[in-house]
């Protein structure tokens, strides 16, 4: 997690990937770690040295936007390659970069935006061909991933690449209602999205906890509903422009009729049940009254004002998790439903949805809603976002709706990247239904994610999901992904993402004198999964609002993907498969994890707040001892304690293996699970064979 590993990767980015992918490294050719994997990639012969300026030529379309795009590319190239500082590597030769943008794209920043590009890197330099600015932007993101470091200095790997996305809509939802994220932090995520070729930032701007955009028409929003933190309209315009520079659309979401507690505390006259601002239990339930004409006047003006801030055609109006009792337990609403023949709350919600969709259409927008909106018939043009499961994608598609799939890509479940990577947005759909799927979105809800944690909760996992959305359907080898993802993560960190920096900062705040033992422990443990952390937050909810909870515990620092543990588990497999040279290094890692426990004991004496980590650290040491004994054919009786350590680790993993378990079972100390269990088990099973 700390800086040394970044440097290690930078010096051997590509070779490392080759060694990890190929079983016999003696024939390994260095392959660049491209994420997302291009549609077609053919390696070239000789790399180009990177020593001098970039000389750009434009045979066809050139624009101020494209000039800025190239400026950004050059700055990133400098940072990644360090070429400014490498004159000692030889004569300074300019890098010839010809950008042949064959047309202005009339569909730029729409779902039809042209993102195809062709890249040729050889002795003559770089030729990038695209039929629109978005293609240029995507091609330059790939070009950065061809930077390699050799003994002769930084180079660009030669290649011929032809590439286009599988899905037109490749989104990332960030919830800024539960925890506010400053514009600078969002810009940083947009930068990473550009590198991962995502093209839709879905901002979840309102929820029970807050409404985050300034309104001139309804100032009680910023006074009350924003809970003190919101974006001015100027900040929203700047953010949209920042994303547009990177060929990324911003789709806003203002969630109604449910998830509206914050808005309704500011404007209670439109509520189905009178909100009690003191009662935090209402945060997830309070809904608009869909039977009052004034509700629609309010929402028309509010949505109109918000719609003008976001140029995108699509406008997400929420529609999820409406609690029917909010309506049926209001006698006036119940009487209205009876009088107008609405059999149930779903039918009433469909009428509400249809009116909102019409309103938005007047503003030139296409309404998007969560899959609940399609549970009763609504206008076919409404775009449905399937989040509760692929069966909702299937039913919405069958009903003729365009569909975006986020089921399978909820990052707040804190699952490792490989879990999301396994899921295909259309696997279970018929051919007819597949045609309705415009794309997919990763989603990070931030009940338990602070601004400081955002980068690490998003990256690198979002890059793995980005590959799922961009690359061909048959690109799905988890071993290839796990070899490339650490390289992508390092690229992101070097280019300004703060996942690793904030991880270090949070650890150093808990143990300022010496964060290293803590970082070592957290590098091979992961946070409990499937909302086991949120479960704890929900218990607090009745007493302390999320915004006042502390999120700086070790489980908030530990990452869902432990690269160190994954590398260990992988190397154990390789060692057992015959690469005996790995044994020395495996032993060194086990010794370090075993001995880290003594350092943790000293650290806890100095910082008692870390006390809950003692059993976690002792368990890691026990697993490491088991691994060492298995590796070296340990002495008498080691197997009993080894089995005990494995059994305990499995129980702890099982306690959050499903959402049901996470809600019903006691969670392990410090909400952490051990990630090296597969490697230790493999060593134990192998007996003395190593
Ligand atoms: C959702 O997760 N409630 C859309």
């Amino acid at each position: 997690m700390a800086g040394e590993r970044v440097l290690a990767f930078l010096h051997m980015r590509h070779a490392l990937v080759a060694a990890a992918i190929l079983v016999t490294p003696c024939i390994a050719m260095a392959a660049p770690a491209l994420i997302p994997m291009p549609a077609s990639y053919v390696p070239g012969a000789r790399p180009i040295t990177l020593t001098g300026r970039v000389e750009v030529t434009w045979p066809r379309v050139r624009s101020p936007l494209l000039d800025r795009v190239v400026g950004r590319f050059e700055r990133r190239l400098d940072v990644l390659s360090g070429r400014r500082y490498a004159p000692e590597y030889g004569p300074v030769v300019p890098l010839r970069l010809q950008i042949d943008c064959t047309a202005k794209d009339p569909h730029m920043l729409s779902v039809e935006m042209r993102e195809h590009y062709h890249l040729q890197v050889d002795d003559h330099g770089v030729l990038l061909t695209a039929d629109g600015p978005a293609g240029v932007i995507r091609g330059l993101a790939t070009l950065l991933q061809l930077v390699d470091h050799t003994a002769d200095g930084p180079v660009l790997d030669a290649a011929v690449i032809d590439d286009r996305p599988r899905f037109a809509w490749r989104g990332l939802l960030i919830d800024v209602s539960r925890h506010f994220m400053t514009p600078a932090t969002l810009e940083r995520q947009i930068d990473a999205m550009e590198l991962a070729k995502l093209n839709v930032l879905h901002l979840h701007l309102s929820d029970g906890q807050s409404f985050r955009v300034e309104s001139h028409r309804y100032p009680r929003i910023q006074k009350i509903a924003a809970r003190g933190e919101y974006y001015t309209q100027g900040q929203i315009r700047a953010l949209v422009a920042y994303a547009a520079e990177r060929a990324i659309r911003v789709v806003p979401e203002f969630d109604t009729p449910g998830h509206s507690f914050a808005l309704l505390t500011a404007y209670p006259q439109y509520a189905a049940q009178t909100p009690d601002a003191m009662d935090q239990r209402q945060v997830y339930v309070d809904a608009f009254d869909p039977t009052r004409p004034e509700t629609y006047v309010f929402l028309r003006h509010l949505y109109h004002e918000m719609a003008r801030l976001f140029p995108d055609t699509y406008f997400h109006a929420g529609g999820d998790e409406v609690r029917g009792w909010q309506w049926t337990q209001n006698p006036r609403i119940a009487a209205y439903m009876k009088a107008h023949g609405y059999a149930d709350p779903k039918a009433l919600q469909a009428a509400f949805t249809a009116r909102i969709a019409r309103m938005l259409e007047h503003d030139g927008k296409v309404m998007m809603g969560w899959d609940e909106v399609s549970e009763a018939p609504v206008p076919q043009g409404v775009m449905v976002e399937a989040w509760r499961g692929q069966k909702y994608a299937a039913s919405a598609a069958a009903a003729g709706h365009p569909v975006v799939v986020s089921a399978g890509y909820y990052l707040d479940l804190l699952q490792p990247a490989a879990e999301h990577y396994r899921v295909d947005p259309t696997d279970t759909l018929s051919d007819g239904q597949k045609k309705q799927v415009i794309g997919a979105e990763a989603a990070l809800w931030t009940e338990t994610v602070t601004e400081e944690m955002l980068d690490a909760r998003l990256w690198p996992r979002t890059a793995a999901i980005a590959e799922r959305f961009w690359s061909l359907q048959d690109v799905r080898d988890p071993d290839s992904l796990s070899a490339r993802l650490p390289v992508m993560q390092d690229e992101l960190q070097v280019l300004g993402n703060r996942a690793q920096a904030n991880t270090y900062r949070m650890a150093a705040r808990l143990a300022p004198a010496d964060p290293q033992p803590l970082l070592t422990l957290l590098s091979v443990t992961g946070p409990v999964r499937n909302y086991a952390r949120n479960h704890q937050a929900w218990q607090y909810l009745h007493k302390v609002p999320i915004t006042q909870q502390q999120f700086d515990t070790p489980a908030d620092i530990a990452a869902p993907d432990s690269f160190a543990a994954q590398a260990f588990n992988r190397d154990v497999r390789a060692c057992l498969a015959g690469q005996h040279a790995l044994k020395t290094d495996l032993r060194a890692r086990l010794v370090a994890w075993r001995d880290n426990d003594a350092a943790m004991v000293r650290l806890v004496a100095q910082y008692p707040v870390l006390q809950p980590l003692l059993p976690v650290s002792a368990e890691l040491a026990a697993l490491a001892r088991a691994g060492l004994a298995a590796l070296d054919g340990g002495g008498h009786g080691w197997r009993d304690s080894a089995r005990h350590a494995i059994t305990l680790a499995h129980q702890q993993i099982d306690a959050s293996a499903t959402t049901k378990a996470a809600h019903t079972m006691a969670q392990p100390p410090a909400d952490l699970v051990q990630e090296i269990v597969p490697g230790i088990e493999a060593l134990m099973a192998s007996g003395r064979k190593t």
Side-chain angles (χ1 to χ4, degrees), residues 92-103:
V92 172
V93 185
L95 171 69
R96 287 192 298 274
L97 170 58
Q98 185 174 121
I99 299 182
D100 190 3
C101 183
T102 59

Side-chain angles (χ1 to χ4, degrees), residues 175-179 204-212 224-227 253-266 275-288 320-321 323 445 447 541 545-547:
D175 168 11
V176 295
S177 173
R178 274 54 178 270
H179 276 103
H204 183 76
L205 288 156
S206 77
D207 209 296
Q209 285 82 351
S210 70
F211 188 107
R212 297 296 195 188
I224 294 169
R227 307 287 190 255
E253 180 189 352
F254 297 97
D255 201 346
T256 63
H259 285 276
S260 295
F261 177 70
L263 196 49
L264 292 170
T265 53
D276 172 359
M278 302 311 291
D279 185 354
Q280 289 296 323
R281 283 170 303 188
Q282 294 187 8
V283 163
Y284 280 89
V285 300
D286 269 25
F288 274 86
D320 56 322
E321 298 182 300
R323 312 293 160 116
W445 303 94
E447 279 97 334
L541 191 61
I546 284 167
T547 44

Side-chain angles (χ1 to χ4, degrees), residues 290-629:
T291 66
R292 286 181 183 278
E294 309 87 67
T295 292
Y296 295 96
V297 175
F298 174 75
L299 288 177
R300 189 173 72 237
H301 289 311
L302 179 62
Y303 277 172
H304 177 72
E305 186 181 7
M306 296 301 124
R308 285 175 50 187
L309 294 174
F310 296 91
D312 202 77
T313 302
Y314 291 86
F315 188 101
H316 203 308
D320 56 322
E321 298 182 300
V322 180
R323 312 293 160 116
W325 64 262
Q326 281 274 307
W327 295 341
T328 54
Q329 289 186 19
N330 175 329
R332 212 185 38 73
I333 298 177
Y336 179 99
M337 287 172 68
K338 202 163 171 200
H340 291 80
Y342 294 113
D344 56 23
K346 282 182 186 158
L348 184 57
Q349 185 175 351
F352 174 87
T353 302
R355 285 188 71 164
I356 298 290
R358 255 198 323 275
M359 251 179 219
L360 290 170
E361 203 177 300
H362 275 293
D363 281 322
K365 302 289 182 184
V366 174
M367 178 184 161
M368 185 166 173
W370 296 107
D371 57 50
E372 287 93 331
V373 301
S374 59
E375 283 195 293
V378 293
Q380 238 181 19
V382 171
M383 165 95 92
V384 172
E385 177 155 17
W387 71 280
R388 289 178 298 171
Q390 287 212 340
K391 72 175 185 187
Y392 294 98
S395 56
H401 295 287
V403 173
V404 164
V405 180
S406 54
Y409 309 111
Y410 267 35
L411 294 160
D412 49 327
L413 289 165
L414 301 185
Q415 294 167 340
E419 294 288 317
H420 300 295
Y421 191 68
R422 268 194 305 118
V423 181
D424 190 275
T426 64
D427 257 353
T428 61
L429 307 187
S430 71
D431 287 346
Q433 291 163 351
K434 280 179 186 164
K435 290 199 182 78
Q436 300 291 114
V437 176
I438 312 298
E441 290 189 350
L444 184 66
W445 303 94
T446 58
E447 279 97 334
T448 60
V449 183
T450 62
E451 176 165 29
E452 188 178 40
M453 294 163 65
L454 185 70
D455 297 55
R457 285 299 187 240
L458 285 175
W459 310 98
R461 291 183 300 154
T462 300
I465 297 174
E467 172 159 296
R468 174 61 48 250
F469 299 167
W470 173 284
S471 302
L472 297 173
Q473 190 169 7
D474 61 3
V475 175
R476 51 196 317 172
D477 173 10
D479 290 338
S480 164
L481 175 74
S482 80
R484 288 177 290 127
L485 202 54
V487 184
M488 175 71 169
Q489 174 71 336
D490 288 334
E491 179 192 0
L492 293 172
Q493 304 316 297
V494 169
L495 293 180
N497 188 262
R498 293 195 57 84
Q500 286 178 344
N502 284 358
T503 294
Y504 182 85
R505 184 167 86 179
M506 291 173 77
R509 198 166 54 224
L510 286 180
D514 182 13
Q516 197 50 55
L518 177 56
L519 285 166
T520 298
L521 177 61
L522 296 179
S523 74
V524 284
T525 52
V528 290
R529 297 177 189 173
N530 295 306
Y531 296 139
R533 297 279 303 152
N534 300 53
H535 183 48
Q536 196 184 7
W538 289 331
Q539 285 173 348
Y540 297 148
L541 191 61
H542 307 287
K543 304 180 206 111
V544 188
I546 284 167
T547 44
Q548 290 164 30
Q549 288 171 34
Q550 292 296 311
F551 289 101
D552 56 3
T553 71
D556 300 311
I557 304 172
D561 271 292
S562 162
F563 288 154
Q566 288 169 13
F568 173 77
N569 296 334
R570 192 166 57 222
D571 289 348
V572 167
R573 282 206 313 265
C575 184
L576 295 176
Q579 290 187 42
H580 301 293
L582 287 165
K583 193 172 164 181
T584 310
D585 194 59
L586 286 171
R587 184 184 295 109
R589 283 180 252 177
L590 289 166
V591 166
W593 294 329
R594 180 195 65 193
D595 294 349
N596 194 58
D597 192 40
M600 279 303 300
V601 170
R602 285 195 297 276
L603 207 59
V604 171
Q606 196 173 359
Y607 304 109
V609 69
L610 299 178
Q611 188 85 26
L613 289 177
L614 281 182
V616 187
S617 175
E619 284 158 30
L620 175 62
L623 289 171
R625 273 193 297 273
L628 285 166

Side-chain angles (χ1 to χ4, degrees), residues 244-258:
E245 289 279 310
R246 287 145 184 87
I248 292 170
R249 302 157 43 217
V250 179
V251 172
E253 180 189 352
F254 297 97
D255 201 346
T256 63

